[in-house]
């Protein structure tokens, strides 16, 4: 009796295990089938949004909305940026309005609702009730403000390529680039140094072209983090965990390209190209030796002097052989930090004690300029956009004017070739009182005065991104109009 009971119990246990395995297998098959079906539906919607027939595109819009805006808002945003048919755009507005009950759980939903609101305000006919139901039940067909400060909706009226058929108005910039008939598809671009003027300028330029911007900075309060599509705080580039943090962000944000606006970050990134590529990030970085040459101002001076370039007299930690007045600055400094002008020997002695690892240069007399430049992956210089630095504050140009000068362009071109840089760079120098051109600094990154170059029609940010993504650089979009003037003012971002 006991033996039978044991045998029977063992058989029952085996049957239960078998049933559990069969059940788990069935569950796994069901989940796999559902995922495959979902993937097919998504592919069908994506194909429908690109279909040549506007009716098919409108149906695809409805299907995308039915799947939930949390997952389909990015696809719909890409669609409206390229869409020209009013019926399809109206379908997007109605689809967004019909799903106002969805929480604003992603930045994509918020951005799509802002777009829908701005478009509906431009087209009052969409506010009327349809034949079957009002655009928004109980709200007389109006698209209500999304769960974000509604004043931001104005960005979508003035940002290029965000809302079709933009009317001319006082809110539009005076200088718009020519129509881009060969524009690249929107990309997911990671931008470092979001707190600096260059980072902010790059972020705004990319957003204007419809790209999804992932902003990074070590400072949680960096203003550029508030302007981007999404943002992440990472350690400083000299932190041993910097690279791992950047790769993590690249993975979770599905970023496709990396643009660095901090020169010192190349030290951490230069030897990590394979890791960046594995994380899905395309890059176009200058050789590390060229970066170090530009960061080290003494090495930069000796390099240009050895190539017989016109440079200011320079001394390392000493003014011996350097006539005054003087500029004392750190050998490895950035911007205008610890830069001291000296008119007397007493001021010079004080500056040499205060400035870390100083170099001393003769202060050049004349008119200061900056050239925003771009060197493509083959080493060809494809853009040189000179501008006068009419007024600066904290080392950043706040007033300036673009100009054209063959001698300046020639000297800048030769200086770039001498350093071996690739990618964006800003070259600073003076046109001296006797008409000569002297170079005193090259920074292997975009400049803080970049908005002036962009406003003048030289779209170095978009063309650099095209080069990163393996597309042809278009020289016709890298020509700056002379005589464009910039005056800067403060602009605030509020939270809380």
């Amino acid at each position: 009796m006991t033996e039978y009971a044991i045998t029977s119990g063992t058989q029952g246990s085996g049957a239960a295990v078998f049933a559990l395995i069969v059940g788990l297998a069935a569950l796994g098959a069901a989940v796999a089938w559902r995922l495959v079906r979902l993937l097919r539906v998504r592919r069908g919607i994506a194909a429908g949004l690109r279909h040549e027939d506007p009716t098919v595109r409108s149906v695809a819009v409805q299907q995308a909305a039915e799947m939930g805006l949390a997952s389909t808002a990015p696809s719909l945003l890409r669609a409206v940026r390229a869409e020209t048919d009013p019926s399809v755009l109206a379908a997007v507005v109605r689809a967004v309005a019909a799903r106002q009950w969805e929480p604003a759980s992603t930045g994509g939903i918020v951005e799509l609702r802002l777009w829908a609101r701005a478009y509906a305000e431009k087209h009052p006919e969409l506010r009327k009730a349809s034949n079957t139901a009002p655009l928004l039940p109980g709200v007389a067909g109006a698209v209500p403000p999304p769960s974000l400060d509604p004043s931001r909706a104005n960005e979508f009226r003035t940002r290029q390529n965000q809302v079709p058929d933009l009317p001319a108005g006082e809110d539009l910039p005076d200088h718009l680039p020519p129509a881009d008939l060969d524009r690249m598809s929107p990309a997911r671009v990671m931008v470092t140094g979001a707190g600096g003027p260059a980072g902010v300028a790059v972020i705004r330029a990319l957003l204007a072209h419809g790209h999804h911007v992932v902003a990074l900075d070590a400072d949680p309060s960096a203003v550029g983090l508030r302007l981007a599509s999404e943002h992440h705080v990472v350690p400083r580039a000299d932190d041993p965990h910097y690279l791992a943090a950047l790769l993590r962000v690249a993975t979770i944000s599905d970023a496709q390209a990396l643009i660095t606006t901090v020169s010192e970050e190349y030290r951490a990134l230069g030897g990590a190209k394979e890791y960046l590529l594995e994380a899905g990030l395309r890059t176009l970085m200058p050789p590390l030796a060229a970066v170090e040459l530009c960061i080290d101002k003494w090495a930069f001076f000796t390099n240009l002097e050895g190539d017989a370039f016109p440079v200011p007299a320079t001394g390392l930690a000493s003014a011996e052989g350097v006539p005054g007045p003087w500029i004392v600055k750190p050998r490895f400094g950035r911007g205008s930090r610890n830069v001291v002008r000296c008119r007397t020997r007493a001021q010079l002695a004080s500056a040499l004690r205060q400035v870390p690892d100083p170099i001393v240069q003769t202060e050049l007399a004349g008119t200061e300029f900056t050239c925003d430049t771009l060197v493509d992956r083959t080493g060809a210089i494809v853009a040189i956009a000179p501008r006068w630095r009419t007024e600066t504050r904290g080392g950043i140009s706040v007033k300036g004017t673009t100009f054209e000068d063959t001698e300046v362009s020639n000297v800048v071109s030769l200086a770039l070739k001498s350093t071996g840089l690739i990618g964006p760079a800003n070259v600073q120098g003076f046109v001296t009182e006797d008409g000569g051109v002297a170079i005193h600094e090259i920074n292997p990154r975009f400049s803080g005065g970049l908005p002036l170059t962009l406003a003048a029609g030289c779209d170095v940010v978009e063309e650099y991104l095209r080069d990163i993504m393996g597309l042809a650089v278009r020289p016709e979009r890298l020509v700056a109009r002379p005589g464009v003037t910039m005056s800067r003012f403060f602009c605030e971002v509020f939270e809380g």
Side-chain angles (χ1 to χ4, degrees):
M1 187 62 141
T2 303
E3 181 180 351
Y4 172 77
I6 293 174
T7 303
S8 176
T10 302
Q11 291 175 346
S13 176
V17 172
F18 178 75
L20 178 61
I21 293 174
V22 171
L24 290 175
L27 178 62
V31 171
W33 176 83
R34 182 176 178 83
L35 289 175
V36 170
R37 182 175 178 275
L38 181 62
L39 182 60
R40 288 176 178 172
V41 171
R42 285 183 177 276
R43 288 177 176 172
I45 291 173
L49 292 173
R50 297 191 301 268
H51 200 277
E52 61 182 12
D53 187 346
T55 303
V56 175
R57 297 201 297 273
S58 296
V59 172
V61 167
Q62 296 173 3
Q63 293 175 341
E66 289 171 0
M67 290 188 64
L69 297 182
S71 60
T72 59
S75 298
L76 292 174
L77 282 168
R78 287 193 294 270
V80 298
R81 287 166 185 151
E83 185 59 64
T84 58
D85 190 281
S87 65
V88 180
L89 295 169
V92 177
V93 173
R94 292 192 172 94
V96 173
R99 298 190 69 86
Q100 286 291 315
W101 53 267
E102 270 198 59
S105 56
T106 69
I109 293 179
V110 173
E111 188 172 353
L112 186 61
R113 286 177 177 170
L114 286 170
W115 174 88
R117 183 185 181 210
Y119 189 79
E121 288 178 356
K122 287 174 72 279
H123 298 81
E125 69 276 8
L126 295 180
R127 296 171 176 269
K128 300 177 182 179
S130 64
N131 295 331
T132 57
L135 181 58
L136 279 180
V139 194
V143 180
S147 56
L148 192 69
D149 183 352
S151 65
R152 280 201 61 200
N154 188 58
E155 296 177 20
F156 294 83
R157 300 189 194 97
T158 59
R159 187 181 295 163
Q160 185 192 13
N161 295 330
Q162 290 287 348
V163 181
D165 305 323
L166 284 175
E170 61 182 6
D171 289 334
L172 293 177
D174 294 330
H175 303 287
L176 290 174
D180 191 348
L181 303 179
D182 183 33
R183 66 177 183 176
M184 64 183 293
S185 300
R188 301 177 68 86
V189 188
M190 183 180 293
V191 179
T192 68
V200 170
V202 170
I203 290 169
R204 295 180 64 188
L206 291 170
L207 289 173
H209 280 283
H211 300 294
H212 181 96
V213 181
V214 183
L216 303 184
D217 201 277
D219 180 5
S221 65
V223 67
L225 300 181
R226 278 78 184 159
L227 304 177
S229 310
E230 63 177 283
H231 67 268
H232 301 267
V233 178
V234 297
R236 286 167 47 97
D238 54 4
D239 188 296
H241 303 292
Y242 166 78
L243 181 59
L246 186 142
L247 293 173
R248 175 183 174 276
V249 172
T251 302
I252 64 177
S253 66
D254 198 26
Q256 300 167 279
L258 172 65
I259 294 180
T260 301
T261 68
V262 180
S263 305
E264 289 77 8
E265 290 181 332
Y266 286 125
R267 291 169 172 162
L269 299 173
K273 293 181 181 178
E274 292 185 3
Y275 295 107
L276 296 172
L277 194 58
E278 287 177 2
L281 281 178
R282 296 190 180 199
T283 62
L284 180 56
M285 295 186 287
L288 189 55
V291 174
E292 295 291 358
L293 181 64
C294 294
I295 290 177
D296 184 340
K297 292 178 173 58
W298 174 250
F300 176 76
F301 163 75
T302 55
N303 177 74
L304 289 191
E305 186 184 42
D307 288 342
F309 277 89
V311 291
T314 303
L316 180 61
S318 169
E320 184 178 353
V322 180
W326 305 274
I327 296 290
V328 180
K329 55 187 177 181
R331 178 177 177 177
F332 300 98
R334 284 199 302 156
S336 62
R337 299 181 183 92
N338 294 312
V339 175
V340 181
R341 285 182 170 85
C342 304
R343 295 289 182 270
T344 66
R345 289 282 178 180
Q347 293 174 339
L348 176 62
S350 175
L352 287 173
R353 290 193 299 268
Q354 296 175 11
V355 175
D357 200 1
I359 65 170
V360 182
Q361 291 185 321
T362 297
E363 183 176 11
L364 294 172
T367 308
E368 189 176 12
F369 68 84
T370 290
C371 283
D372 287 311
T373 68
L374 183 63
V375 183
D376 71 11
R377 63 175 61 250
T378 69
I381 299 173
V382 292
I384 296 179
R387 49 185 169 82
W388 300 119
R389 288 165 61 91
T390 309
E391 183 179 337
T392 61
R393 295 178 187 172
I396 304 300
S397 177
V398 295
K399 291 183 181 179
T401 303
T402 56
F403 69 95
E404 188 174 19
D405 186 286
T406 302
E407 183 63 20
V408 168
S409 296
N410 287 341
V411 173
V412 167
S413 177
L414 292 171
L416 285 171
K417 289 290 187 181
S418 176
T419 60
L421 284 173
I422 289 176
N426 65 87
V427 183
Q428 297 183 2
F430 280 80
V431 175
T432 59
E433 294 175 342
D434 61 359
V437 180
I439 304 297
H440 65 83
E441 192 167 311
I442 295 182
N443 298 299
R445 56 170 174 79
F446 287 114
S447 70
L450 176 63
L452 175 53
T453 293
L454 298 175
C458 184
D459 200 352
V460 287
V461 176
E462 183 73 357
E463 297 309 304
Y464 176 49
L465 179 59
R466 286 177 66 92
D467 206 5
I468 291 174
M469 300 302 290
L471 301 175
V473 175
R474 302 166 298 180
E476 69 275 9
R477 298 187 69 84
L478 289 169
V479 179
R481 296 188 311 278
V484 179
T485 298
M486 173 187 73
S487 296
R488 275 182 153 162
F489 63 96
F490 286 111
C491 183
E492 295 77 23
V493 175
F494 301 99
E495 293 181 303

